[in-house]
Structures are given as C-alpha cells and as structure tokens.
Amino acid sequence: MKLRHAIRRTLTVLTAATVVAAGAVAGTAAPALAVTAKLEIFLQCQTNDGRYWDYTVQVSGATSRWYYDKYSVEVRIWGDDEWSDDLLGGPYRTLYDNSSGGGPGYYTFAVCMNSSTLNEDVGLDDIYAGVRVYNASNVNTETVESNRWYGYF
C-alpha cells in the first residue's frame, strides 16, 4: 500500500512539473510574423507613355511566409466608407521570383491615380489598400489591409 501511494505521488509530481514546463515554454515562444502593407500617396506621377497624373499611390510591405519559388502580390485600392467600401483601383497583380534562396518576400507596388478617383467622399477621404499574396500554385496564402491615408483630394 505504501509503495502504491509513493508511486501515485511521484506520478502526480512529475505530471505537475511537465505541465509547468510546457507552460513556461509556450509562454516564451516567439510571436508569429504577419504580412505587412504600408500605403503612401505622393504628389504627381508620370507613366511610361508620358502621361501625367495627380498622385502616385504606393503600397509596400513584406510577406510573413517564406516562399522558395515564385509568388504574386495583388493590390486593390479602396475608399473606406461607413456602410460599404468603394473600389477605386485594381486588382493589380505583380509576380515576384524568390527562387534565389527563399525567405520572406518584399514587395513595392505603385500606380498613378487622379484626384477625381481618390476624391470618393464629400469632405475628408480615407484610402487604404487591400493586399493578397498568392503562392506559386495561385493559392491565396496571406491577406492584409494597409494603414488608412486621410486627405482632401
């Protein structure tokens, strides 16, 4: 009887120690990375055909996943509204080749737009980008919204 009680107590102590150790390891785990998107809007833009536009809308960021081959980034420019958002431009898709070593992918995308497009509200406008990342098999693997850009266009 004493032997059975000693074994039970030892198992209880070992179980408690395992739970405490697992909790300590889980508590110190590194946070997961997230895909990023930063929207910036600059005055003036000129396309390759020589046309001038009012603004350059640029979206840049990094993927959170490691892509060992090609991946693509799709960008849509939105006007943020209370009831439903307005699609102002896109989708624009760019293919990137990351076959030289893998790792997170970095992207930058720019499009020229006029004030008549960005001026989507009466008063202050708030513009953001919706970004989707696709792997080489064209599967959507990451999605993010950029910061909001406020201005009078």
Side-chain angles (χ1 to χ4, degrees), residues 33 63-68 98 101-105:
L33 298 176
T63 65
S64 64
R65 295 175 179 238
W66 285 52
Y67 295 95
Y68 293 97
N98 207 23

Side-chain angles (χ1 to χ4, degrees), residues 38-46 52-60 108-115 118 127 147 149-150 152-153:
K38 178 183 178 185
L39 173 74
E40 297 178 285
I41 300 178
F42 304 102
L43 285 174
Q44 299 181 345
C45 186
Q46 184 178 6
Y52 288 92
W53 302 75
D54 297 327
Y55 296 98
T56 302
V57 178
Q58 180 175 295
V59 181
S60 59
T108 299
F109 173 83
V111 62
C112 297
M113 299 182 98
N114 279 321
S115 59
L118 296 175
I127 310 298
N147 56 299
W149 190 277
Y150 300 95
Y152 295 96
F153 301 99

